[in-house]
Amino acid sequence: MHSSDPTTSNSSLDNNNPTDTTNHLERLKQQSQHCNGNAHTNHSMSTSTQTHSNQVNLQLLTNSQKEILRLVGQHLQSIGLSNTVESLITESGCVLENEQASNFRELIMLGKWTEALVALDQLKQYIEEQDGILQMKYLILEQKYFELIEDNQPMDALYCLRNEIRLLNIRIERTHQLTAFLMFTSIKDMCKAANWNGKGFASRESLMEKLQKYFPPNIMLPPKRLESLLSQAIEFQQDRCTYHIKPGKLSIDDVSLLQDHACTKHTLPCVTIRTLTEHSDEVWFCKFSPDGTKLATGSKDGNLIIYDVDMETYEIKLRKQFDGHTFGIGCIAWCPFSRYIIACGTDECNEILIWDVHREEQRSRINHTTDDSLTCAAWLPCGTRFVCGGSRGQFY
């Protein structure tokens, strides 16, 4: 019998014998595999678990979450991250668009017009508009026509115009215009006259955006849908911003999407640059025109004064003074296109005056009965009608 000597065992390892050390590590590795399973088995179990997890997650996704994934996928695809989109589809199980629609898009981007028209016929069940298929075919053939001209194939372009586009029997006036583009000797001039980007990715992408509008969103998402939603959110935030004074509409590039837009009160003007002294009595109302180029002020003295506003320097210059408002001016309403202005008086006033600012003359003087009290007015968005009323209950 041999007794086990701990000292001898330890000394064999301490002597750094390569063979003994290797054998010892191998035994540890085998024991580990025996207890935990080999590496390949572990990897397979991990992959299986991950796949099962993805399937469970897909079942738990709400409809809104799936739509968000589609919007994100569409945006990623539009900036060229195709591999990322494929990973997103694989992991989430959400499909960006109908398979037939995806094939149709690919044919359009490759310029395979005949195959694209065949694919379109297979998608006609999804087109809700009555003449949607005809309109889409017209757009495709128009693109084909322009590309044939650019490829210096005038006879093929003429055949396309006569035997394909005209047979659709829609957009007759536009079809007559297309004939003229065959006469151009310069492709550059032709593209400019037709407002066309020329053969290539840009014009085909533009065509695809027009075609997408005819498909329901469950088949093919509207073009740049995520950007459109973000733009609407920014516009909404701008309208709600108490201290916002920057002219024009904000775009996605003007703000950070990581937080809501909000101007501070420090951005408001706090220095007087001009004092207007043309009125001889209390000023009751003042209002800028919708385009911001004019300012109207109304006073107790019965005068309506129009000023021109320099949009760059903010200098204000007197333009015209309208008088004849017996009861003073208590309300001013500009029409949407900044040409006509309505002036209303106080409770005792039974008439309204409409002035033409461009011609600098009275356009109309309106009253119904002497018992009326017309103290306020507002234009409809069309700019061809308005409403007016007062504190006594009259409304016209």
Side-chain angles (χ1 to χ4, degrees):
M1 263 181 92
H2 297 281
S3 63
S4 177
D5 187 353
T7 308
T8 306
S9 176
N10 289 337
S11 64
S12 65
L13 291 176
D14 293 338
N15 291 335
N16 295 325
N17 187 318
T19 304
D20 291 342
T21 303
T22 302
N23 293 336
H24 180 71
L25 293 175
E26 185 63 29
R27 286 195 301 273
L28 291 175
K29 181 177 179 182
Q30 290 175 355
Q31 291 173 0
S32 174
Q33 289 179 352
H34 177 73
C35 295
N36 300 323
N38 60 43
H40 177 73
T41 302
N42 286 342
H43 176 72
S44 299
M45 292 177 62
S46 176
T47 303
S48 176
T49 304
Q50 182 66 34
T51 303
H52 178 69
S53 176
N54 289 341
Q55 292 174 347
V56 173
N57 288 338
L58 177 59
Q59 294 174 357
L60 296 177
L61 290 176
T62 64
N63 186 59
S64 61
Q65 289 174 329
K66 292 177 183 178
E67 290 181 350
I68 292 173
L69 285 172
R70 292 181 66 198
L71 293 175
V72 171
Q74 183 195 41
H75 179 70
L76 293 174
Q77 193 173 59
S78 69
I79 59 177
L81 300 180
S82 301
N83 293 335
T84 306
V85 175
E86 291 179 5
S87 298
L88 179 64
I89 293 174
T90 302
E91 187 173 357
S92 67
C94 293
V95 181
L96 294 187
E97 56 191 22
N98 179 281
E99 185 178 352
Q100 290 178 310
S102 181
N103 177 58
F104 173 70
R105 178 198 299 277
E106 184 177 353
L107 293 172
I108 290 294
M109 298 307 296
L110 293 175
K112 297 182 178 181
W113 311 121
T114 303
E115 293 91 330
L117 291 172
V118 173
L120 180 59
D121 284 328
Q122 297 172 351
L123 289 165
K124 62 183 179 182
Q125 58 181 315
Y126 303 113
I127 309 301
E128 298 177 355
E129 287 194 34
Q130 186 174 2
D131 63 340
I133 286 290
L134 288 177
Q135 296 292 342
M136 294 174 75
K137 286 184 176 180
Y138 192 99
L139 291 170
I140 294 171
L141 291 172
E142 184 181 68
Q143 178 80 10
K144 175 184 177 181
Y145 173 74
F146 282 133
E147 292 199 10
L148 286 171
I149 295 177
E150 185 170 333
D151 289 338
N152 196 25
Q153 301 180 42
M155 297 308 297
D156 291 338
L158 185 60
Y159 179 87
C160 174
L161 181 63
R162 288 179 174 177
N163 299 284
E164 295 181 293
I165 295 179
R166 282 186 176 175
L167 290 182
L168 296 176
N169 199 30
I170 59 173
R171 302 191 183 187
I172 306 300
E173 184 177 350
R174 175 59 176 172
T175 303
H176 292 323
Q177 293 175 352
L178 292 178
T179 307
F181 298 123
L182 274 170
M183 309 302 174
F184 281 83
T185 57
S186 168
I187 296 299
K188 184 177 180 180
D189 293 340
M190 187 273 289
C191 292
K192 183 177 180 181
N195 192 26
W196 186 60
N197 293 327
K199 180 180 178 180
F201 178 82
S203 64
R204 290 176 183 175
E205 185 179 41
S206 177
L207 167 64
M208 196 61 234
E209 289 183 1
K210 295 175 184 177
L211 296 173
Q212 280 180 260
K213 296 176 182 178
Y214 291 93
F215 288 108
N218 61 317
I219 300 300
M220 184 179 288
L221 288 171
K224 300 179 180 178
R225 181 58 182 161
L226 182 59
E227 293 181 19
S228 176
L229 290 173
L230 292 175
S231 296
Q232 293 174 30
I234 292 170
E235 183 177 346
F236 175 73
Q237 292 173 21
Q238 178 182 344
D239 291 340
R240 292 186 60 187
C241 182
T242 304
Y243 301 110
H244 187 84
I245 59 172
K246 184 178 180 180
K249 293 293 183 182
L250 294 174
S251 68
I252 295 178
D253 297 328
D254 294 328
V255 300
S256 170
L257 299 177
L258 305 181
Q259 59 184 2
D260 288 347
H261 166 74
C263 297
T264 66
K265 61 182 180 181
H266 302 294
T267 62
L268 284 175
C270 57
V271 178
T272 302
I273 61 173
R274 177 77 182 274
T275 302
L276 307 176
T277 59
E278 281 74 19
H279 287 292
S280 59
D281 210 326
E282 299 174 3
V283 177
W284 284 347
F285 207 95
C286 62
K287 192 170 187 179
F288 285 95
S289 61
D291 62 8
T293 62
K294 289 176 281 292
L295 170 66
T297 61
S299 170
K300 183 180 179 180
D301 62 15
N303 292 323
L304 172 68
I305 299 180
I306 309 296
Y307 300 89
D308 286 323
V309 181
D310 189 310
M311 296 295 288
E312 294 183 0
T313 64
Y314 300 108
E315 289 293 322
I316 298 176
K317 182 179 179 181
L318 178 65
R319 179 189 181 104
K320 183 68 177 179
Q321 179 172 308
F322 301 112
D323 55 17
H325 302 81
T326 307
F327 298 96
I329 299 175
C331 180
I332 293 171
W334 284 96
C335 76
F337 42 91
S338 304
R339 175 169 181 176
Y340 299 108
I341 191 169
I342 297 174
C344 304
T346 58
D347 289 343
E348 294 78 19
C349 182
N350 65 347
E351 63 181 3
I352 61 174
L353 278 73
I354 304 177
W355 300 93
D356 186 333
V357 177
H358 289 186
R359 294 187 176 182
E360 299 183 355
E361 63 183 16
Q362 182 177 294
R363 178 67 177 83
S364 184
R365 194 180 192 108
I366 302 174
N367 65 76
H368 289 280
T369 69
T370 56
D371 295 330
D372 283 347
S373 173
L374 304 179
T375 57
C376 60
W379 290 86
L380 272 64
C382 62
T384 60
R385 293 180 175 85
F386 64 88
V387 294
C388 61
S391 57
R392 296 178 188 172
Q394 292 87 4
F395 181 80
Y396 300 104

